[in-house]
């Protein structure tokens, strides 16, 4: 499927430009690309969005410099998203 120009937004995930359908949550956009995770636990285990409704906080990412819940945030044009927030000191990129 090739969505029309008006239904697509451009986002950047960890420096990689991506397209997402307008209205898609950041969690859904992350799930559409490998590895599909949002962060790493303090033990190093990959963590992905779980509840999809703002309860589990497994989807924490940094969006435009602020830590946000990916499942509660709708993709917007030009959004800069960094995964792996909230793990070892220095692991979260700006
Ligand atoms: S997936 Fe659980 S808070 Fe976002």
């Amino acid at each position: 499927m090739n969505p029309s120009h008006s239904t697509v937004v451009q986002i950047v995930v960890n420096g990689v430009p991506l397209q997402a359908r307008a209205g898609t949550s950041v969690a859904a956009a992350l799930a559409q690309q490998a590895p599909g995770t949002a962060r790493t636990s303090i033990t190093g285990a990959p963590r992905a969005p779980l509840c999809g409704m703002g309860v589990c906080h497994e989807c924490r990412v940094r969006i435009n410099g602020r830590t946000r819940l990916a499942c509660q945030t709708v993709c917007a044009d030009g959004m800069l998203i960094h995964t792996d927030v909230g793990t070892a000191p220095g692991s979260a990129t700006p």
Side-chain angles (χ1 to χ4, degrees), residues 49-59 69-71:
L50 179 64
C51 72
M53 59 185 193
V55 175
C56 72
H57 287 221
E58 296 290 2
C59 65
L69 295 178
C71 70

Side-chain angles (χ1 to χ4, degrees), residues 8-22 24-33 63-64 74-81:
V8 172
V9 295
Q10 305 291 326
I11 61 174
V12 179
V13 179
N14 298 328
V16 178
L18 297 173
Q19 290 185 335
R21 292 183 65 86
T24 299
S25 72
V26 172
L30 291 175
Q32 294 171 6
Q33 68 157 13
I63 299 174
N64 295 339
V74 174
C75 290
D77 218 23
M79 191 174 263
L80 301 176
I81 302 161

Side-chain angles (χ1 to χ4, degrees), residues 12-15 38 60-65 80-85 92-94:
V12 179
V13 179
N14 298 328
R60 282 192 312 265
V61 294
R62 186 162 293 160
I63 299 174
N64 295 339
L80 301 176
I81 302 161
H82 290 91
T83 61
D84 219 12
V85 174
T93 52

